[in-house]
Amino acid sequence: MDVSADRTTFKRHSSLSTLVAHFFGILAVVLMLIWLLHYREGIEYGSDNPLKVLNVHPFLMYCGFLFLVGQAMMTYKTAYASHQVQKMVHGGLHLIGLVLGIVGISAAFRFHDKLNLKDMVSLHSWIGLTTFILLGLQWLLGAFTFLAPQSSSGTRARMMPWHVLGGRALLYMGIVAALTGLMQRATMLGQSTNAESRLINFTGLAILLFGVSVDFSVALGRYG
């Protein structure tokens, strides 16, 4: 068996998956902006209109959180720099995503407060908040393990498979949270056959394919 040829094949397929991930990731951003700006009331955290506040939630939870998490996972394919710089970019993108995610989550609570609605009653909210908390813990553990100078190489080697596996699992949990959120919003809006309903479906499909492509890029990249 030609090991070098296999590595080349894996690397080529990983690069293709990375390109596909960027296509679907950006497509989902564009579709979501069209939906929120054209069909809904717009995006404004400080608005007196509760629906504008609510729209901050899907926008930041995908465009600010999930999209950046995917970009962070692909850093080792897209950032042409030293390994140390790649690690810093990887951790930095995750951190920015977490900060934007906090704003996105607070927008949902703010919307509930404006309409006197109960918090944390849907499956979407349970999955979403659990994913967010676990990813925050994953980031802290990764920072102490892979960025702290006192961490030994043996510890890093033992933790790496679990770090990668955990990141991939949390990516899929984030996708599930995003899709259940879109389904919940579509149900609230009562859309079934019109253009807005199809737009929401295409947005969800693009998010799903973005996540799958990111995972393929990461998985194949480890063999390339």
Side-chain angles (χ1 to χ4, degrees):
M1 182 176 64
D2 191 340
V3 177
S4 62
D6 287 343
R7 289 178 63 88
T8 301
T9 300
F10 279 124
K11 187 173 295 185
R12 183 169 62 250
H13 290 170
S14 177
S15 298
L16 178 61
S17 296
T18 303
L19 290 174
V20 172
H22 279 91
F23 171 77
F24 284 115
I26 295 171
L27 176 63
V29 171
V30 173
L31 292 177
M32 182 166 289
L33 284 173
I34 293 173
W35 173 43
L36 297 177
L37 297 178
H38 179 69
Y39 288 97
R40 295 293 103 202
E41 286 74 7
I43 306 168
E44 185 180 350
Y45 186 88
S47 174
D48 292 329
N49 183 344
L51 293 178
K52 285 187 176 183
V53 177
L54 177 61
N55 289 342
V56 175
H57 178 70
F59 175 70
L60 286 185
M61 296 316 294
Y62 172 68
C63 303
F65 175 64
L66 193 58
F67 181 75
L68 287 182
V69 167
Q71 294 298 323
M73 293 177 68
M74 296 187 293
T75 295
Y76 299 99
K77 293 290 300 180
T78 58
Y80 296 99
S82 66
H83 185 66
Q84 186 63 28
V85 171
Q86 288 177 332
K87 287 199 298 183
M88 296 298 293
V89 173
H90 175 78
L93 287 174
H94 272 301
L95 181 59
I96 295 171
L98 287 167
V99 171
L100 294 176
I102 291 173
V103 179
I105 292 172
S106 68
F109 285 111
R110 180 179 171 86
F111 167 75
H112 291 165
D113 289 341
K114 283 181 173 292
L115 298 182
N116 294 317
L117 300 175
K118 292 183 178 179
D119 297 319
M120 302 301 297
V121 296
S122 67
L123 179 62
H124 161 68
S125 62
W126 287 22
I127 296 173
L129 191 59
T130 299
T131 302
F132 188 82
I133 292 172
L134 289 177
L135 201 139
L137 294 175
Q138 164 99 340
W139 184 87
L140 287 174
L141 183 60
F144 282 114
T145 303
F146 301 104
L147 294 178
Q150 66 270 22
S151 179
S152 67
S153 57
T155 300
R156 294 175 184 176
R158 288 191 299 271
M159 288 299 298
M160 179 58 73
W162 295 105
H163 182 73
V164 174
L165 182 62
R168 293 171 64 187
L170 288 170
L171 173 68
Y172 279 110
M173 288 178 65
I175 293 170
V176 171
L179 298 186
T180 54
L182 287 174
M183 291 173 61
Q184 179 177 310
R185 187 72 183 277
T187 301
M188 290 170 56
L189 296 172
Q191 308 297 332
S192 58
T193 59
N194 60 19
E196 183 179 2
S197 178
R198 290 191 292 271
L199 179 60
I200 293 173
N201 288 343
F202 277 119
T203 303
L205 184 60
I207 292 174
L208 174 62
L209 293 175
F210 166 69
V212 172
S213 301
V214 169
D215 185 50
F216 278 13
S217 175
V218 173
L220 293 172
R222 290 182 60 79
Y223 296 99

